[in-house]
Amino acid sequence: MPEFKFDNALVLSARPLGERTYKVSLLTDALGRHAGVVRGKKMPATAGLFSGRWQARLGEQTGHFYGEETAMPAAPFLEDAARLKCLLCLCGLLDAVLPERHPHPELYGAVMDWIAGLGTADFLMRYVRLELLILSAVGFGLDMSCCAGGGDACDLAYISPKTGRSVSRDKGRRYDDRLLALPAFLWRDAPATPRDIRDGLKLTAYFFIHKGGYKLPKIREQLLDKAALSL
Amino acid sequence: MSAPEIETLIALLSKLPTLGPRSARRAVLHLLNRKESQFVPLIAALQEVADKIKPCAVCGNMDTSDPCSICRDERRGKAQICVVQDVADLWALERAGMYRGRYHVLGGVLSALDGVGPDELKIPALVERVAAGGIAEIILALPATIEGQTTAHYVADKLADFPVQISTLSRGVPMGGELDYLDDGTLQLAFSARKKIGG
């Protein structure tokens, strides 16, 4: 009987299946996004951490998760709208874009690091970087190693929407209306202004929607709100 | 194999919460064996509810009249509106019997997974009610989940410009709850919301 054990899997989504059964989608360290059925009185909370094991009669079946919620990282932030929205958006995004049962240990680690640092002031900046990593995990990684037009690699300012490669400020200026803005914090160690965050979110959204064909969580639009960025 | 009419009834019943095909079949058999005492009254009750129940245009509650009996009750306070996720929550608060104000049923909470955005919820109707005046407090009785609290913050943002007090339900140790069995998140919330006792 196929079975695997996991610790601290992130609950990406949960919905009632019957009266006391829930269809749950988890982000696990070993098998990436994994769905299963949980039985119990209480539906596992989105963005909670769940530890236990998955078991099914056959490998291709949905199977059941047996275990318990071990932590609720969102608990300290229930009064913090911006962080809650960001966390909800992350869970919705991972649930929407990640293929099932495909290991992404690096992404899992990055997500856990981001959650651990949710209380820091730069959580939105790190969130945009995390979206870049998610893009990369689903096969749409952006190339920010050099200027695609042969320009200065130390002054990258744009991304080509066609190729996903970076373009320097000098070479891209003429095509400003056709290129996507690349905020500096995404390719080098630099601080981020609210405008940079907005540009970063627009950049990743473009590739998720137009290249990946994904539907982004509606709550993501609110991350662009002025209020969220005025932190 | 039973008659097609009975199969249709079983199929319809099996779609109800907690009922599967087997339990639906048992329920149908039970009703067929008690036609006069249970089946016919059940049909009458179902028909009556289906004919008469409608959503309240003011608060979203389900009742036989519009506005509902809660919205029409002059003894209930008009200055407080308790915002709930759905009618089941409204009924739960009514069962407890400690709240004597009005309600507003949102019809869900913001959800990334189900694509429920602010437009799908009855938030504009709530803003209209507050804008009409006479409201002193909005009580956000939404689930203590990330979706529920995100919705609460969104509603609070929308009402920020109105002179109303916005409050949420307290979170923490439930009645009869032992600390040993509580999850870390609940303990953390309970601890941060601790109250002074005595003098």
Side-chain angles (χ1 to χ4, degrees):
Chain A
M1 197 176 269
E3 177 183 302
F4 87 94
K5 291 182 179 175
F6 54 86
D7 279 325
N8 293 333
L10 179 67
V11 180
L12 301 180
S13 66
R15 61 173 70 199
L17 200 62
E19 190 72 1
R20 287 189 175 185
T21 52
Y22 311 96
K23 177 97 183 276
V24 177
S25 176
L26 301 177
L27 178 68
T28 64
D29 52 352
L31 281 177
R33 188 170 75 86
H34 202 301
V37 174
V38 173
R39 290 179 197 275
K41 283 183 190 171
K42 185 174 160 274
M43 185 164 77
T46 307
L49 297 182
F50 193 95
S51 296
R53 66 189 165 88
W54 171 86
Q55 196 176 51
R57 197 168 57 81
L58 300 169
E60 60 267 30
Q61 290 178 329
T62 305
H64 283 79
F65 289 127
Y66 301 95
E68 59 178 1
E69 281 181 286
T70 46
M72 180 69 182
F77 307 107
L78 286 184
E79 308 297 331
D80 189 327
R83 285 175 172 83
L84 281 188
K85 282 177 191 169
C86 215
L87 193 53
L88 192 57
C89 182
L90 174 66
C91 292
L93 183 66
L94 289 168
D95 202 38
V97 306
L98 287 185
E100 209 177 327
R101 303 188 193 186
H102 192 89
H104 289 293
E106 197 182 315
L107 180 60
Y108 172 85
V111 167
M112 288 300 147
D113 286 347
W114 182 79
I115 289 175
L118 191 56
T120 58
D122 62 350
F123 73 99
L124 264 175
M125 183 174 92
R126 293 187 305 107
Y127 174 76
V128 184
R129 286 181 179 153
L130 191 56
E131 280 203 352
L132 270 189
L133 198 63
I134 298 170
L135 261 182
S136 184
V138 294
F140 299 102
L142 305 184
D143 179 2
M144 291 179 278
S145 58
C146 61
C147 171
D152 185 2
C154 296
D155 191 23
L156 302 175
Y158 303 98
I159 287 279
S160 162
K162 279 189 180 172
T163 63
R165 295 184 67 192
S166 53
V167 179
S168 70
R169 191 177 311 279
D170 190 38
K171 293 281 179 185
R173 193 167 287 130
R174 284 166 54 197
Y175 310 101
D176 184 83
D177 55 335
R178 278 180 272 169
L179 296 173
L180 298 164
L182 172 65
F185 78 91
L186 286 181
W187 63 277
R188 66 179 166 89
D189 195 15
T193 63
R195 187 193 169 92
D196 289 335
I197 301 284
R198 200 176 296 122
D199 285 345
L201 287 170
K202 282 183 179 172
L203 175 69
T204 49
Y206 179 87
F207 285 94
F208 277 123
I209 295 167
H210 296 285
K211 296 292 178 184
Y214 300 113
K215 201 176 167 190
L216 298 180
K218 281 192 176 180
I219 193 93
R220 193 179 182 279
E221 291 161 20
Q222 291 181 36
L223 293 183
L224 293 160
D225 283 359
K226 216 173 174 180
L229 297 175
S230 63
L231 287 164
Chain B
M1 191 71 188
S2 44
E5 294 85 353
I6 295 177
E7 288 299 325
T8 307
L9 182 58
I10 291 169
L12 287 171
L13 277 180
S14 67
K15 289 185 169 58
L16 297 179
T18 75
L19 292 185
R22 279 169 186 273
S23 42
R25 191 171 292 275
R26 277 201 296 275
V28 168
L29 199 58
H30 179 89
L31 290 170
L32 292 176
N33 287 332
R34 293 159 182 81
K35 189 176 168 186
E36 292 306 320
S37 63
Q38 292 187 13
F39 202 4
V40 174
L42 177 66
I43 293 167
L46 286 172
Q47 190 61 55
E48 194 172 7
V49 170
D51 290 343
K52 290 184 178 173
I53 293 289
K54 48 195 152 193
C56 173
V58 180
C59 71
N61 185 20
M62 293 287 191
D63 204 348
T64 50
S65 58
D66 182 13
C68 69
S69 54
I70 293 176
C71 289
R72 281 186 290 113
D73 190 344
E74 289 298 325
R75 292 167 301 173
R76 300 185 77 111
K78 290 181 181 172
Q80 282 183 322
I81 294 179
C82 180
V83 180
V84 292
Q85 179 182 345
D86 53 37
V87 177
D89 296 341
L90 186 157
W91 289 351
L93 286 167
E94 282 299 287
R95 267 201 315 273
M98 77 295 158
Y99 174 65
R100 297 298 297 163
R102 308 287 168 103
Y103 290 94
H104 190 88
V105 180
L106 286 183
V109 287
L110 297 174
S111 166
L113 173 71
D114 298 322
V116 180
D119 301 339
E120 281 76 31
L121 304 178
K122 288 178 184 154
I123 296 172
L126 175 66
V127 176
E128 274 178 33
R129 286 180 75 181
V130 175
I135 307 296
E137 185 181 7
I138 297 290
I139 303 161
L140 299 172
L142 295 170
T145 59
I146 182 169
E147 293 94 343
Q149 293 310 299
T150 304
T151 310
H153 288 299
Y154 184 82
V155 172
D157 280 351
K158 289 286 169 191
L159 299 175
D161 294 337
F162 297 99
V164 290
Q165 183 187 323
I166 300 171
S167 56
T168 63
L169 298 189
S170 166
R171 293 179 282 266
V173 184
M175 281 298 290
E178 297 198 32
L179 296 189
D180 194 23
Y181 290 96
L182 292 183
D183 62 277
D184 295 353
T186 308
L187 273 177
Q188 204 167 355
L189 284 171
F191 211 80
S192 59
R194 65 189 182 274
K195 284 166 69 175
K196 189 178 176 183
I197 59 170

